[in-house]
Amino acid sequence: MVGLRLLPPLLLQANLGYFRKHPWLLMFALLGIMLGVAGVSGVEITNYSARKNFDIANEQLLGQARYRLSSEQPIAESLLTQLREHWGVEAAPLISRHVRLHNDTGPVVQLLGIDVFQLQRFGPMQEVPVSDGFQPRQLLLEPASVLIGEISYQRQQLKGAELTLFTDRGDRPVNIIGRIGAADDSRFSSLLLMDIGRAQQLFNMAGKIDHIELNIDDDKAQKIRQWVPAGIQLVSVQKSRGATENLTEALHLNLSAMGLLAMVVGVFLVYNTLFFSLVQRQQLFGQLRNVGVSQRELITYLLLELLLIGSIGTLLGLLAGLLLADQLLVLVTRTINDLYAVSPIEILQLQPWLILKVVAVGLGGALLAGLMPALHAVKTSVRSSQSRVLLERKSRQLSQRLPGLSVLLLLLALVLYYLPQTGIVGGYLLVTALLLAGACLMPMLVSYSCRGLAAIRSPQRGLVFSMALKDTERGLSRTAVALMALMVAVAVTVSMSLMIGSFRSTLDLWLKQRLNADIYISPQTRLPDDYRSLAPQIWQWLQDQPEIETLASYQRVSTETLGRQLQLFASDLPPQAQSGYRFKSRFKHRFKSTDVQQVWQDFQQPGHILISEPLANRHGLFRGDKIPLMTPLGVEEFVIAGVYFDYGDSNGRAILSPQNFSRYWHLKPGRVAGLYLKPEADIQSLLNRIRRLPEADMLRISERRGVLDRSLEIFERTFLVTDVLRLLALLVAFVGMLSALMALQLERQQEMKLLRAVGLSLKQRVLLLSYQGLLIGLLAGIAAVPVGMLLAWGLIEVIQLRAFGWTLFYELEWQSLLQAPILAVTAALLACVYPAWKQYKEHSSVPDQILKSPPSGRLQ
Amino acid sequence: MTRVGIAVAALLALLLLISPWQDENPKSGESTLRLAELMGAKQDVEGYLTARPGPIFTFPKDHWQHQGYQNEWWYLTANLHDRNNPDIRFGVQLTVFRFALAADREEDANPWLSPNMYMAHFAITHVADNQHRASERFSRQGPNLAGAKAMPQGDQSLAMTRIWLADWQLQSLTADDLFPMLLQAADGDKQIAASLSLKAVKPMVLQGEQGFSRKNLEGGGSYYYSYPRLTIAGTLNWDKHEFEVSGEGWFDHEWSSNSLAPYQAGWDWFSLQLQDGSELMYYGFRNHDGSDGLKYLARISAEGEKISLDTEQLDVTAVDQWHSPDGTVYPSGWRLKLPTQGLDLYIEPRVSDQLMDLSVRYWEGAVKVSGSHQGSGYVELAGYK
Amino acid sequence: MSAKTIPEIVPEAIAETNAAAEKLLVLKNLHKNFDVGSRSQTVLKGVDLTLSPGEVLVLLGASGSGKSTLLNLIAGLEYPDQGTVTIAGKSITELSEHQRTLFRRQHIGIVFQFFNLIPSLTVMENLLLPLQLNRMCQDQQPIRELLGQLGLLHIEDLYPEQLSGGEQQRVAIARALVHQPSLLLADEPTGSLDNSNAEKVSRLLFDQVRQRQQSLILVTHNERLAAHGDRVLRLNQGQVETEQAANQDAGL
C-alpha cells in the first residue's frame, strides 16, 4: 500500500464521499465478488477436502508400503512367513475391514488389523500422541483390545472403554484401551486399530490375513510377482492409490466447473457494477484532473480501490465459501459413500495455497473486471464535457465488432467439438465460448428489438414506452454489459437445469429398464466388502417355485483394467433381464442399434465380455475389440461382445457370463437373484413363502419397486450436490440481475429530475423505469433460453461425455426454459422498486430544488 | 550370561522403538540406565520362571526357546580370515534375542498372540579395512516369523533345531545335536552377508555352577552353556567382494528372568581362544558407585574340562581408551594377569571402533590376544555412558 | 519518455531568463481538429498569442468559436494537433501527459462555467485539494482570509450542493487562486449566473488577480467583461481576429 501515502488524502475522501452517496453500488460490487468467490472457494475447499480425506483414508489403509499382495479371498498367513524367510523382505500383515459402531445402523468405520510391532516401518503413525498409560503390547496381550482415533471417539461421543462392533460375523464387544492422534487429527477419523492376532480372533479368520504389505523395490517386486501363487496379485500401492483417486475425479471436476461458472457470472457482475461506478464518477474524475490530479495518481487510486473492494469481497466470499463447503462436503462425502461404499471422513481441510488460489481468483477477477473500465475512465476524464460522447461512441464501435467476435467464438467451439482430444478442458472452453458468443450478440439483439418494437408501436399512444425503447437503445453503452451479464447468468442456470434434468430422466429410464425383475434376493449385508453369495439351497429352492418363470443371477467383484478399477459383474441374464440392456452401435449415432441377438450370443462364448459405455469411451473401445482384465489367474484378454449404456459408475463396468467368470474366479457367482414371475403369479404368496425360509433372516428380499426407489434415492442424493450449486448459481444470477438493473435505474435518477422538470408525472416516470427494466429483463431472459439450450447441449454432449464417458439423453424441460424469463423479469421488476420508491419520495419532498441551481446542481 | 542383560535392554529399547507414540523415549545411553531396573528387583518377574541353581538340561530341547522365561539369547562370534590370505581377517557376530512381553501363555493356538518378541544383531568387522558394520532386525514370533525350535526340514520327517528371525538363521544340520550348523545372515543396505558352516571341535560347557551362572550375591542368575570352540568355513560378503573364509568361533545360549541388582551398572565380558587349545571366559561387573562387582573366570582345558578359577589373584587392567562418536569412553585394550595360571595376556581390539550402534548401544568386537599366550577372542562392553 | 524527462519543475525555474522570459505565455500556430461522428471539425486554425506576466486577457467569441478548446490547450487538458504552447519558458507541448499534469497543478488555476467543485468534498476540502496536490502548507487560516476577501464567510464546512450558484463560482475562483498559480484560466466563470451575481463574481476575479499580479485569460461571450482586460482578443472560426488594447475600447 505504498501508493496510499503518495495519494492526496482528499482524493480518497472525494471518492469515499461518492460511495457514501451510493452505498448500493459498493454493496453490489462486494456482493458480486463475494458470491463468485463463495462459489469457487466453496467448491474448491469441498473438492480439496474430499480428496484429502480420501488420501488420508488411503494412507491409513496403505501406510508407507510400496507394494501390496491381495486376493479375492483372504490370504494364508504362511505366505507372509515365506516372504520373510525366503525373500528376506520387509513384509507386514494387514486385515482391513469395514465395521459399524454399536449396531447394524451405526457409523461405518475402518478396522485395521496390523502387526503393532511393525508400525514404524509400515504405519503412517510416527510420533503421534496416544492417550496416557497406553502400551502397544496391550494390543497384543489384552483380548479384543482396540485403539480408536481420538477424533472419532469425541465425534461419536463414545464413553468409557466398552464398545460393540457390528461385523460381518455379528456383534462383537471390544475394549478401547487407548485413543490415538490429536482431537483434530483427521488421519485417525473413522479408524480402529487392532493387533493382527486380535483382529483374526474378531473375524474368526485364524491363519488368514487380507493383505500383505511389502517394502520392496521394483526389481524385487517383479521377481515376487512371478513367485506368488496363482490368484494372488501384487499391486503397487501407488497404483491402487491412483485407482481410488479416479473414483471421484469426475465428480470433483464437475463441481469445479460449476464453481467456476459461478465465478464467471460473479466477474460479470463485478464488471457491471464497477463499470457503473466509474461511468458515474467520470465527472468527478474530470474535476479532479482539472484541479491537477495526474492520471497516474488517479489510476493508482482506482487500482487501490479495486484491490480494496476485491480484498473485502474475497474475504467475505471466502467466509461464505467455508460455510458452503461445510454443507457441500457432507453431501459430497455422502455421495462418495453411496456410490463407492467407502468410509469417508467429513472434515474440512484447508491449505494455505488453496486460500491463496481463491484469493488470487477473487482479486484477479476484480482486477480483470475493473481494470479496463478504470483505465478507460481515467483516459477520457480530462475533457469531462466530451467523455460521455466518447464513451458512447467507443462502446458503439465495440458493439459493432461484437457480432464478429461472436462468430469467431462459435468457430472456436466448433473446432473444439471436433477435437475430442482436447478433453474436459477443451469441453469447458467450448461451453465458455458458446456462452460468450451468446453474450456478444446481446447488444445487437437489444438494438434490433428496440427498433422493431418502436416501429410496431404507434408513437402517440405510448409516449413513455417509446421513450423507454429509444433510451434503451441509445443507452447501450451503459447497459450492454449489464445485459450480457444478465444473459450469461440466466443462461448458465438454464443450462444447468437442463443438464441435470436430462441426467435425471436418463438415469430414471435406465434404472427402470435395468431393474426389471419382480423380486430381488441377496444376502443381508451391511458392510461394504462382503461378497457372500446366496446359498446353493436357496437357488435350488427358487428354481422349484411354480410362480417363477425365470431367474437372473448377479455377482459383483472389483478388479482392474487398463490401470483403472472396474466393477465386474458375473451375470446370468435370461431374455427378460437382457431387455434391460441397450447397446451402443459401432457408430456414434445412438439410434442405430447393433444386432442385439448377436451380442447376447457372443456374450455366452468363452472369452467374451460386455463393457459399459464409459469404459468404452474412455479407451476408444468398440464391439469386437479386445480388453485386458486383471483376473485371479493374471491379466487375461477378453473380446468385447457389446458396449452397453450404463450410468452406474463413471469408471466403467463390465459383465461376464457366469461360465466365463468361473473360469478365472474362485468366488461363486450368484450373490443376488433376480426373480421374473409368470404373468398370473401371486407375488404375495411367493414372498410369504420366501420369508418363511429358515435362511430368511440372512436374506434381503426386495420387490422391484423398493429396489428402484432405493436406487433412485441414492441418485437423488448425488444430485443434491449439484442442486445446491445450481441454487447458488441461481442466487448469483438473481442478485446479479438485481444489482445490474438497479444500478441502471439508479443511474437514471439524475435524468428523472430533468424529466420531472420537463413535466413527466410520477406515474410516467415510474412507468419509464419499469418499462426499461422489463425490457432489459425480458430480452435477457428470452435470449438466455436458446443460449442456455446450446450450453446444455455442450454440457451433455461434450462435457458429460468427455468427463464421465456416458451419453445422456438431452431432454428439454419446459420448466427450466420458462424459469429463465420469469427469473429475469422478476429481478427486473424487483430492481425497479427501490428507484421507483426514490422517485416517490422525491415527489413528496420539496418540489423546486431542481430549479434552484441549474445546471450545476442537477448533476451533483 | 551378561548378555541376557543386553537382551533385556535391547528388547526394552525395541519396545520403546516400536511404540513410536510414546513420549518418554530413551535418549542415547538411557537404555542401559533402564537395564539396572530391568535386571534388578524392580523388574516385575512375577509369573515368570526363574533360573535357580542346579538345573538339569535335556538336549536338544534346551537349545530351543524357553517359554516362561523372560529373556533368552543365542550368540555366535567368530574370528575368521581369508582362506587364501590369512592376513585378511574378519570378525563376525550374530545374536538372536528373545523377550517375552508376558509370562502367561494364552490358550489360543493363534501364533500372532505369542508374547515372544525377537531381535537379532548381525555384525562383520573387516580388520584390514579397519571397519565394522552392524545391522539389526526385529520381529514378533508370529506364525514362524522368528523363533528357536525344532523345525521340520523339507520333506524329511526329521526336525532340526533352528534359531531364526526372518531370513537370518542358525540352522542345525542334524536332528539330535546343535552342531554342525549353518549360519546365514545378510543386510543388503549395509552390504554385508555371511554364509558359514560351523562344527563344534570341543564339547558343550555348562558355565557357572553346572549351568547356573550367578550374577550377583542376591540370587540373580541365568542358565548358561557354551560351545567354546567351533571351526568355521564359508563365505563372507563385504561390499561387492566375496571372501572364502575359515576360522574359529564361540557359541553361547543363555536364558533367565531374574537379572541384575539395582547397584549393578554394566559389565565387561571376554571370550578368548588361546593357541594352546584352551579357552578363557571372563566377566566382571561394574557398580554404579564405580567399584568393581562380581567377577568370574573360567578356563576350559584343551581336553574340554572347565575349571572355575579363583578371581582373588586376577588383575584385569584397561591399558587404552576409545572415544565413541557420542562421547562415551570405552576401555580399549587390557592386560589380564593371573599368576597362578601363568597368564599374562595383552588383549587388544582388532578394530577400535566395533560399536554396535543399534537400538541398544554396546561395544562388541574381535580382539587379538598376545603376551604369555597367543590367541583370538571377542569382548563385550556394556553399560558405558 | 527518457528524452523528454525534465526535473520536477520548481517555481524558481519560471524566473529563469531565456528567450521568452518576458512573456509568460507564448502560443504558436495552434491547430486543433475534433472528430464528431463521422466528420472532422477544425476548431483552431493556427492561433498565435502571447501573454505577459500580470496581464489580463479577455478572449471573446461566439459559441463554437474555439474559445474553450484554446483554454484547454493552454491548460494542457488537451493536446494540439499542431503548434506549441510555452508557459514561463517551458514548452508544455513537449511534456508528457504526467508532466503536464504536474505543471498544471502548480502553475495554473482554472475556473469553469460549472462543475467546478467536487461534490463529495466540503468547501474547505475543495480548497485544500490544490495545496495537497502540490504538497504545500495546508494552513487553513490563509484560506479563510481568502474566502473572506471573496465575501464567503462561514461556509467552509458546507458541501457545494448547499451553496448558491454565485457562491459556488466564488469558491471555484478561490480554489483557482489558493495555490498561487502564475496563470489563471477562466472559462465563462459567470456564464451560469444572473447579471448581478455575474458582475459581482467577475469583479472579484479581476480584483484578486490584479492584487496578486497574476496573469489571467478570461474566456467569455459577454462583451461587457472585456472592459476589465488589459487586452481583448476575439476568436472567430478558430482564428484570432483582432487584437486591441482593451482600455481603448473600454465601455467603462
Side-chain angles (χ1 to χ4, degrees):
Chain A
M1 292 271 139
V2 183
L4 209 57
R5 265 193 305 145
L6 302 174
L7 292 176
L10 285 171
L11 177 57
L12 307 184
Q13 211 167 325
N15 282 288
L16 272 181
Y18 165 78
F19 279 119
R20 250 201 310 278
K21 272 194 158 179
H22 307 287
W24 43 271
L25 259 179
L26 196 61
M27 200 187 78
F28 286 146
L30 284 177
L31 203 62
I33 299 173
M34 189 188 120
L35 287 172
V37 169
V40 170
S41 64
V43 167
E44 285 296 307
I45 293 170
T46 306
N47 275 350
Y48 177 74
S49 300
R51 275 206 191 109
K52 177 92 186 163
N53 290 339
F54 224 85
D55 283 352
I56 288 168
N58 275 336
E59 203 176 295
Q60 286 166 359
L61 195 66
L62 306 170
Q64 287 155 351
R66 304 195 50 224
Y67 282 90
R68 160 180 288 195
L69 284 172
S70 303
S71 173
E72 54 173 323
Q73 312 260 296
I75 302 170
E77 67 192 12
S78 58
L79 188 67
L80 173 71
T81 310
Q82 288 174 36
L83 280 164
R84 293 272 288 272
E85 267 188 42
H86 298 321
W87 291 89
V89 294
E90 287 181 31
L94 178 66
I95 287 177
S96 165
R97 298 288 167 105
H98 288 95
V99 299
R100 287 182 188 269
L101 299 182
H102 314 307
N103 51 44
D104 63 355
T105 55
V108 174
V109 298
Q110 182 151 33
L111 191 151
L112 295 184
I114 51 170
D115 180 352
V116 291
F117 301 102
Q118 274 186 297
L119 270 185
Q120 207 184 31
R121 266 155 215 273
F122 286 97
M125 298 140 230
Q126 289 178 31
E127 283 157 39
V128 170
V130 79
S131 50
D132 287 345
F134 168 77
Q135 296 273 326
R137 67 173 78 175
Q138 288 174 274
L139 282 174
L140 165 66
L141 297 177
E142 294 175 18
S145 52
V146 297
L147 261 188
I148 189 169
E150 179 74 53
I151 186 167
S152 293
Y153 190 84
Q154 291 188 7
R155 289 199 166 200
Q156 301 298 338
Q157 297 173 337
L158 301 179
K159 299 261 182 330
E162 281 164 25
L163 180 67
T164 303
L165 299 183
F166 174 81
T167 73
D168 57 359
R169 307 292 153 110
D171 288 352
R172 296 293 159 105
V174 291
N175 196 22
I176 299 171
I177 59 163
R179 307 203 289 274
I180 185 169
D184 58 350
D185 191 341
S186 50
R187 290 180 301 162
F188 301 100
S189 177
S190 300
L191 183 70
L192 290 176
L193 286 179
M194 280 188 104
D195 185 60
I196 183 80
R198 297 297 173 191
Q200 285 182 338
Q201 284 184 321
L202 190 82
F203 294 111
N204 286 347
M205 52 187 293
K208 302 275 185 188
I209 50 183
D210 286 338
H211 308 279
I212 296 173
E213 312 231 82
L214 292 165
N215 223 341
I216 49 175
D217 59 25
D218 297 343
D219 279 353
K220 202 134 222 178
Q222 206 50 45
K223 289 177 191 150
I224 288 176
R225 189 167 284 143
Q226 308 293 322
W227 173 82
V228 289
I232 294 176
Q233 289 136 33
L234 181 71
V235 201
S236 121
V237 166
Q238 227 53 47
K239 203 169 176 187
S240 59
R241 212 170 259 178
T244 43
E245 270 160 16
N246 283 340
L247 288 179
T248 42
E249 202 176 85
L251 181 67
H252 292 312
L253 188 102
N254 246 22
L255 292 184
S256 282
M258 293 199 201
L260 269 177
L261 280 179
M263 189 66 207
V264 168
V265 176
V267 166
F268 255 94
L269 294 190
V270 176
Y271 179 79
N272 182 50
T273 335
L274 292 177
F275 183 77
F276 264 102
S277 88
L278 291 166
V279 166
Q280 285 212 317
R281 274 184 290 173
Q282 202 121 40
Q283 176 126 37
L284 175 71
F285 298 154
Q287 290 168 337
L288 287 168
R289 296 279 285 116
N290 290 343
V291 177
V293 174
S294 71
Q295 254 188 33
R296 229 179 266 178
E297 283 165 330
L298 209 50
I299 289 176
T300 311
Y301 164 75
L302 283 175
L303 277 180
L304 280 176
E305 183 186 299
L306 268 178
L307 277 177
L308 198 69
I309 292 175
S311 307
I312 296 172
T314 303
L315 195 72
L316 291 174
L318 206 57
L319 290 176
L322 274 174
L323 292 177
L324 181 69
D326 202 38
Q327 300 303 308
L328 283 180
L329 186 62
V330 177
L331 299 174
V332 170
T333 310
R334 210 191 292 157
T335 302
I336 294 172
N337 189 22
D338 283 341
L339 293 182
Y340 308 115
V342 291
S343 67
I345 306 168
E346 273 175 29
I347 292 163
L348 279 189
Q349 306 277 356
L350 286 177
Q351 263 268 313
W353 66 258
L354 186 72
I355 306 287
L356 269 177
K357 190 168 131 190
V358 170
V359 168
V361 168
L363 279 182
L367 284 178
L368 189 76
L371 204 57
M372 282 296 289
L375 288 177
H376 188 247
V378 170
K379 286 236 171 80
T380 53
S381 60
V382 173
R383 285 152 40 224
S384 58
S385 52
Q386 293 230 326
S387 59
R388 188 54 166 268
V389 180
L390 269 179
L391 187 70
E392 304 241 333
R393 174 146 35 99
K394 209 158 185 183
S395 59
R396 210 167 302 137
Q397 281 169 356
L398 196 68
S399 46
Q400 274 159 10
R401 259 179 261 141
L402 281 176
L405 188 61
S406 177
V407 171
L408 277 181
L409 284 166
L410 282 173
L411 274 177
L412 174 70
L414 209 64
V415 168
L416 287 168
Y417 177 70
Y418 282 107
L419 289 176
Q421 59 269 37
T422 54
I424 300 161
V425 176
Y428 279 113
L429 278 178
L430 185 152
V431 171
T432 312
L434 287 179
L435 185 63
L436 294 179
C440 287
L441 289 175
M442 271 319 280
M444 203 172 74
L445 175 79
V446 172
S447 192
Y448 286 130
S449 310
C450 287
R451 275 181 235 169
L453 281 171
I456 297 164
R457 186 90 196 184
S458 64
Q460 65 269 39
R461 289 287 298 275
L463 171 74
V464 177
F465 186 71
S466 7
M467 260 180 81
L469 287 177
K470 280 203 182 120
D471 261 17
T472 309
E473 196 199 340
R474 208 171 308 124
L476 267 178
S477 67
R478 290 161 300 141
T479 53
V481 177
L483 265 166
M484 286 156 82
L486 288 191
M487 206 283 296
V488 164
V490 183
V492 165
T493 61
V494 167
S495 66
M496 278 168 70
S497 293
L498 285 177
M499 192 261 285
I500 292 168
S502 301
F503 206 159
R504 273 209 171 108
S505 60
T506 306
L507 284 184
D508 194 62
L509 182 73
W510 167 69
L511 281 174
K512 279 176 184 152
Q513 284 181 346
R514 186 64 55 83
L515 296 172
N516 60 358
D518 298 296
I519 299 172
Y520 289 91
I521 300 178
S522 60
Q524 281 281 11
T525 50
R526 289 283 155 75
L527 298 168
D529 33 24
D530 190 344
Y531 292 116
R532 271 174 301 168
S533 297
L534 274 187
Q537 65 265 29
I538 293 175
W539 281 105
Q540 194 53 54
W541 185 88
L542 288 173
Q543 248 136 32
D544 296 341
Q545 300 313 303
E547 293 97 334
I548 298 175
E549 187 168 72
T550 181
L551 284 170
S553 91
Y554 310 89
Q555 169 65 290
R556 186 179 69 178
V557 294
S558 195
T559 181
E560 233 185 272
T561 179
L562 300 163
R564 277 178 182 261
Q565 282 209 335
L566 172 78
Q567 288 184 49
L568 178 72
F569 288 79
S571 309
D572 185 13
L573 302 169
Q576 289 94 324
Q578 288 176 359
S579 69
Y581 291 82
R582 317 239 134 181
F583 294 95
K584 205 179 148 132
S585 73
R586 177 143 198 137
F587 308 98
K588 199 179 153 28
H589 209 271
R590 71 172 81 95
F591 298 112
K592 262 190 200 159
S593 195
T594 23
D595 182 357
V596 177
Q597 217 65 40
Q598 192 58 47
V599 167
W600 288 113
Q601 270 175 31
D602 290 348
F603 172 64
Q604 298 296 339
Q605 301 306 309
H608 279 69
I609 195 168
L610 295 175
I611 65 170
S612 70
E613 191 202 7
L615 183 60
N617 281 345
R618 182 155 289 129
H619 302 292
L621 296 171
F622 294 96
R623 174 176 151 82
D625 292 348
K626 281 186 176 164
I627 182 169
L629 197 67
M630 178 86 89
T631 76
L633 299 184
V635 177
E636 297 284 335
E637 285 215 319
F638 290 85
V639 178
I640 298 167
V643 175
Y644 62 98
F645 290 110
D646 190 278
Y647 306 91
D649 186 345
S650 64
N651 260 333
R653 291 169 157 178
I655 309 176
L656 282 178
S657 68
Q659 294 79 7
N660 275 331
F661 182 77
S662 298
R663 226 163 267 159
Y664 304 95
W665 273 265
H666 303 295
L667 208 62
K668 284 200 195 89
R671 196 177 83 81
V672 181
L675 281 53
Y676 292 87
L677 305 190
K678 288 175 184 152
E680 72 283 3
D682 179 357
I683 189 166
Q684 273 317 316
S685 91
L686 178 65
L687 278 173
N688 288 337
R689 267 183 289 132
I690 296 172
R691 292 204 176 102
R692 278 200 300 273
L693 282 172
E695 299 90 348
D697 283 352
M698 299 295 289
L699 298 180
R700 168 187 282 232
I701 303 148
S702 327
E703 285 183 69
R704 173 169 184 263
R705 198 62 252 168
V707 178
L708 200 58
D709 288 349
R710 257 202 315 281
S711 304
L712 285 172
E713 191 187 319
I714 285 177
F715 278 111
E716 279 304 312
R717 268 199 253 165
T718 316
F719 285 121
L720 255 177
V721 190
T722 34
D723 279 347
V724 168
L725 283 173
R726 192 166 60 118
L727 220 63
L728 180 80
L730 204 72
L731 185 76
V732 175
F734 191 78
V735 172
M737 279 190 283
L738 201 62
S739 67
L741 290 171
M742 195 127 88
L744 263 181
Q745 306 292 28
L746 285 171
E747 211 249 350
R748 294 175 62 89
Q749 292 289 313
Q750 317 300 345
E751 230 176 303
M752 287 298 137
K753 283 185 182 168
L754 202 67
L755 290 171
R756 186 177 171 206
V758 171
L760 260 70
S761 69
L762 174 68
K763 186 185 153 198
Q764 280 173 316
R765 275 176 284 141
V766 170
L767 260 179
L768 184 64
L769 283 177
S770 310
Y771 279 152
Q772 276 194 326
L774 259 177
L775 202 63
I776 287 173
L778 211 56
L779 282 174
I782 290 171
V785 173
V787 175
M789 281 163 59
L790 200 63
L791 283 187
W793 170 84
L795 288 173
I796 289 169
E797 288 285 323
V798 182
I799 289 182
Q800 286 288 335
L801 194 68
R802 289 186 188 180
F804 297 96
W806 51 48
T807 309
L808 300 182
F809 296 85
Y810 191 175
E811 194 171 80
L812 286 177
E813 274 179 333
W814 60 268
Q815 293 102 319
S816 303
L817 296 182
L818 210 61
Q819 182 189 325
I822 291 175
L823 192 73
V825 169
T826 313
L829 286 179
L830 260 178
C832 292
V833 172
Y834 176 65
W837 179 74
K838 263 189 109 169
Q839 283 301 309
Y840 172 76
K841 218 180 80 179
E842 218 143 89
H843 182 73
S844 45
S845 65
V846 204
D848 61 352
Q849 201 196 355
I850 192 168
L851 304 169
K852 195 176 160 194
S853 55
S856 59
R858 194 191 74 182
L859 282 145
Q860 280 163 13
Chain B
M1 70 132 285
T2 43
R3 269 159 267 139
V4 171
I6 291 194
V8 172
L11 286 156
L12 176 75
L14 159 70
L15 287 178
L16 292 172
L17 192 79
I18 58 186
S19 49
W21 46 61
Q22 274 189 346
D23 288 338
E24 25 119 32
N25 239 323
K27 282 171 276 169
S28 72
E30 212 167 295
S31 51
T32 46
L33 200 142
R34 292 213 151 233
L35 176 71
E37 284 174 27
L38 260 179
M39 299 187 79
K42 276 191 208 166
Q43 173 66 19
D44 182 16
V45 294
E46 200 174 330
Y48 290 102
L49 304 172
T50 53
R52 291 167 203 285
I56 300 162
F57 297 141
T58 4
F59 294 103
K61 196 166 156 282
D62 274 315
H63 290 315
W64 308 336
Q65 69 177 25
H66 291 83
Q67 199 67 49
Y69 290 87
Q70 200 171 28
N71 40 56
E72 185 162 17
W73 52 265
W74 298 260
Y75 172 95
L76 187 120
T77 54
N79 273 278
L80 306 175
H81 55 81
D82 189 306
R83 204 177 287 171
N84 306 313
N85 183 354
D87 290 339
I88 303 180
R89 296 189 154 274
F90 299 96
V92 174
Q93 178 205 347
L94 177 67
T95 317
V96 176
F97 301 89
R98 178 186 68 83
F99 181 78
L101 294 177
D104 53 334
R105 286 130 293 164
E106 196 176 324
E107 291 312 316
D108 189 307
N110 190 325
W112 290 105
L113 299 180
S114 156
N116 284 330
M117 308 303 300
Y118 276 82
M119 173 175 83
H121 288 177
F122 171 47
I124 294 184
T125 307
H126 192 309
V127 178
D129 276 11
N130 202 34
Q131 273 197 65
H132 170 261
R133 291 178 191 167
S135 160
E136 67 186 332
R137 293 268 193 278
F138 300 98
S139 179
R140 64 205 286 178
Q141 181 176 313
N144 291 333
L145 299 174
K149 61 178 181 178
M151 290 287 281
Q153 283 305 295
D155 49 355
Q156 301 170 23
S157 54
L158 284 177
M160 296 177 212
T161 301
R162 182 167 185 233
I163 301 141
W164 83 101
L165 192 162
D167 56 337
W168 292 1
Q169 61 167 345
L170 295 166
Q171 170 72 57
S172 291
L173 299 173
T174 63
D176 32 57
D177 206 349
L178 196 56
F179 291 95
M181 179 194 268
L182 200 65
L183 176 153
Q184 278 172 320
D187 184 317
D189 293 338
K190 298 257 164 66
Q191 301 204 47
I192 49 173
S195 177
L196 305 170
S197 58
L198 309 90
K199 282 187 199 110
V201 204
K202 289 169 84 171
M204 174 199 293
V205 170
L206 299 181
Q207 298 285 14
E209 303 151 26
Q210 274 83 51
F212 176 72
S213 171
R214 206 176 281 282
K215 290 199 189 76
N216 51 41
L217 300 174
E218 282 74 24
S222 63
Y223 296 133
Y224 181 9
Y225 66 83
S226 310
Y227 284 89
R229 200 177 287 251
L230 311 166
T231 57
I232 298 175
T235 55
L236 285 187
N237 294 74
W238 181 277
D239 290 339
K240 305 272 180 256
H241 306 288
E242 185 165 281
F243 298 92
E244 294 287 323
V245 291
S246 59
E248 291 187 325
W250 177 296
F251 177 85
D252 277 346
H253 179 198
E254 185 169 5
W255 64 100
S256 72
S257 298
N258 42 345
S259 324
L260 290 189
Y263 57 81
Q264 292 178 304
W267 60 84
D268 302 342
W269 177 91
F270 296 58
S271 66
L272 309 174
Q273 292 154 328
L274 307 179
Q275 280 183 3
D276 67 357
S278 70
E279 292 89 20
L280 282 174
M281 192 278 277
Y282 161 80
Y283 62 78
F285 281 99
R286 304 184 316 279
N287 296 331
H288 283 299
D289 62 7
S291 61
D292 286 346
L294 192 71
K295 288 178 185 164
Y296 179 85
L297 178 67
R299 186 165 190 182
I300 300 135
S301 70
E303 294 72 36
E305 189 191 348
K306 191 201 81 179
I307 313 137
S308 298
L309 298 170
D310 184 5
T311 54
E312 203 71 4
Q313 303 285 312
L314 176 70
D315 179 27
V316 181
T317 315
V319 295
D320 204 353
Q321 289 182 335
W322 176 73
H323 295 258
S324 83
D326 68 356
T328 311
V329 181
Y330 290 89
S332 184
W334 298 263
R335 185 163 180 193
L336 185 151
K337 279 194 287 189
L338 186 60
T340 54
Q341 287 279 317
L343 291 170
D344 185 358
L345 306 177
Y346 291 93
I347 302 157
E348 57 178 310
R350 293 195 184 273
V351 171
S352 49
D353 176 4
Q354 298 188 67
L355 185 69
M356 301 294 284
D357 193 6
L358 303 171
S359 339
V360 179
R361 195 175 291 131
Y362 57 102
W363 194 100
E364 174 111 33
V367 293
K368 175 187 173 190
V369 179
S370 58
S372 61
H373 298 71
Q374 310 295 310
S376 309
Y378 251 77
V379 167
E380 175 179 291
L381 307 169
Y384 284 90
K385 278 189 281 183
Chain C
M1 88 161 168
S2 55
K4 287 192 200 166
T5 299
I6 53 154
E8 189 94 356
I9 299 153
V10 287
E12 286 86 331
I14 304 160
E16 249 174 52
T17 46
N18 59 34
E22 68 276 16
K23 296 294 177 197
L24 178 68
L25 172 74
V26 180
L27 304 184
K28 274 192 184 142
N29 194 28
L30 282 184
H31 285 261
K32 183 71 184 171
N33 296 324
F34 277 127
D35 296 330
V36 178
S38 51
R39 69 200 173 88
S40 175
Q41 188 187 344
T42 305
V43 184
L44 295 179
K45 309 172 187 165
V47 173
D48 292 292
L49 190 142
T50 56
L51 190 72
S52 306
E55 195 180 3
V56 174
L57 174 71
V58 175
L59 201 58
L60 289 171
S63 296
S65 60
K67 306 188 298 280
S68 296
T69 304
L70 185 61
L71 218 54
N72 280 343
L73 286 176
I74 295 169
L77 291 171
E78 281 175 35
Y79 197 81
D81 295 325
Q82 200 185 321
T84 57
V85 178
T86 310
I87 301 174
K90 184 65 60 186
S91 171
I92 68 162
T93 37
E94 280 172 24
L95 298 181
S96 72
E97 164 65 31
H98 185 61
Q99 287 163 339
R100 273 210 302 278
T101 306
L102 294 180
F103 188 88
R104 176 167 68 244
R105 72 157 71 142
Q106 240 176 338
H107 303 296
I108 299 174
I110 309 173
V111 185
F112 289 107
Q113 185 177 357
F114 33 67
F115 311 140
N116 276 301
L117 301 179
I118 290 161
S120 45
L121 297 181
T122 63
V123 168
M124 180 56 80
E125 286 167 347
N126 262 291
L127 291 177
L128 281 170
L129 188 55
L131 299 180
Q132 217 170 62
L133 286 169
N134 285 308
R135 292 175 173 58
M136 289 162 73
C137 167
Q138 293 175 40
D139 193 354
Q140 299 197 356
Q141 201 44 47
I143 298 177
R144 287 202 189 91
E145 281 167 23
L146 177 63
L147 284 171
Q149 288 165 15
L150 290 166
L152 299 163
L153 289 168
H154 313 301
I155 60 154
E156 58 207 51
D157 290 331
L158 298 182
Y159 283 92
E161 61 184 1
Q162 294 167 295
L163 305 178
S164 71
E167 283 169 335
Q168 283 187 17
Q169 284 310 86
R170 274 183 282 161
V171 173
I173 289 167
R175 196 185 58 192
L177 292 169
V178 71
H179 57 300
Q180 311 201 321
S182 43
L183 176 62
L184 226 74
L185 304 174
D187 188 357
E188 301 273 17
T190 57
S192 60
L193 303 179
D194 60 82
N195 279 344
S196 75
N197 251 320
E199 191 63 31
K200 208 158 90 190
V201 168
S202 50
R203 196 179 294 277
L204 273 170
L205 176 62
F206 288 119
D207 286 353
Q208 287 293 331
V209 167
R210 291 204 187 280
Q211 202 179 318
R212 291 157 190 261
Q213 303 260 300
Q214 288 164 315
S215 303
L216 168 69
I217 299 179
L218 179 85
V219 165
T220 181
H221 58 264
N222 185 348
E223 305 265 347
R224 290 176 55 183
L225 286 177
H228 296 279
D230 296 330
R231 219 160 25 125
V232 177
L233 287 178
R234 192 173 296 273
L235 207 58
N236 193 9
Q237 296 190 332
Q239 280 176 317
V240 179
E241 203 171 55
T242 49
E243 184 159 346
Q244 45 196 294
N247 288 339
Q248 293 170 4
D249 255 31
L252 293 172

